[in-house]
Amino acid sequence: MIDYDYLASRLATSLAVTFGVSVVTYGLIFLTPGDPAEIILSQQLDRQPSAAEIEAFRADHGLNDPIPVQYLHWLTDVFRGDLGSSYYSDTPVSTLIVETVPLTLELALAAMLVALAISIPAGVVSAVHRGTSIDHASQLGALLGVSMPNFWLAYLLILLFPLTLGVLPVAGAGSFGHLVLPAITLGTGMAAVVTRLVRSSMLEVLDEAYVDTARAKGLRERIVVYKHALRNALVPVVTILGLQLGTLLNGAVVVEIIFQRPGLGSLLVDAVFERNYPVVQGVTLVTAIVFVATNLLVDLTYRYLDPRVQLGGETA
């Protein structure tokens, strides 16, 4: 059964984390050099704005208020469902996020599928054949995957497939072909981490008594490994998947810039350079909510994968 007291505690913690992220992000935004009014007006007017124009812009957007006051106004609007509007186009931030978040989630989920498709078979085979050349090759591949920067792999893939072989598009979005290279780039690093975790978890599970019992009953090794051992070995893997989602969202920033995908990452980077404060804060808030919600979902998934695990942290 679900421990509702534990769930209430986790929800409270999630809200506190989200609030903390919003406070820190809002404070750090104002530490960046440059006056957003002057920067934005210079681009919009294509000339140096006058002092009166800068002052009018700051007054219209509440930039003359103390930072705590500005934050309280923003937080009040958030509770009303209003994330503010872009300084450049007056487009609601929520509209910009709704337009771009599907592409980022598409990339993150595709990268996770790539990672799972590589890591689970590699980790299982490595554990079953521990100490052999297969095991050593798997561990070497995982080490290379962890050590390889995403941007370097991205440029290698671009050099190999679009430029040398003439297949797959270099940049953009909208088709399956546009998703392949970014997903491989983003998923490879995650695959390396998960492979090592699957291997270590499988090694522990394969030494359990119930695995020996299943073998003693005459079950095929494939059934013993994939039906009995793998399910319990996936419990810690679920944890890392939840944590890696945040990593994927952060990594998507670099990948989206390289492959020119119009996702959350590109939106955030452009907003930072443009000093578009409402967009920066809105994207950060949404990312934090996705991260904490995913971790809460991970805890709930524990119970399904291993009924012995209680949500309160005890083992039945």
Side-chain angles (χ1 to χ4, degrees), residues 108-120 186-198 230-231 233-250 290-299 301-302 305:
L109 292 176
M112 187 170 289
L113 289 177
V114 169
L116 292 177
I118 296 173
S119 61
I120 291 181
L186 196 56
T188 301
M190 180 179 177
V193 175
V194 178
T195 296
R196 300 173 71 174
L197 182 62
V198 171
L230 181 58
R231 176 169 176 171
L234 287 179
V235 174
V237 175
V238 170
T239 305
I240 200 67
L241 290 179
L243 297 176
Q244 285 292 312
L245 179 59
T247 304
L248 289 178
L249 293 177
N250 292 331
V290 171
F291 187 80
V292 297
T294 302
N295 280 273
L296 180 60
L297 183 61
V298 165
D299 283 350
T301 307
Y302 282 167
L305 290 175

Side-chain angles (χ1 to χ4, degrees), residues 167-207:
V167 297
L168 298 175
V170 177
S175 69
F176 177 77
H178 289 97
L179 186 62
V180 174
L181 295 183
I184 293 175
T185 301
L186 196 56
T188 301
M190 180 179 177
V193 175
V194 178
T195 296
R196 300 173 71 174
L197 182 62
V198 171
R199 178 185 180 275
S200 61
S201 183
M202 281 293 296
L203 288 176
E204 294 180 4
V205 171
L206 288 174
D207 290 333

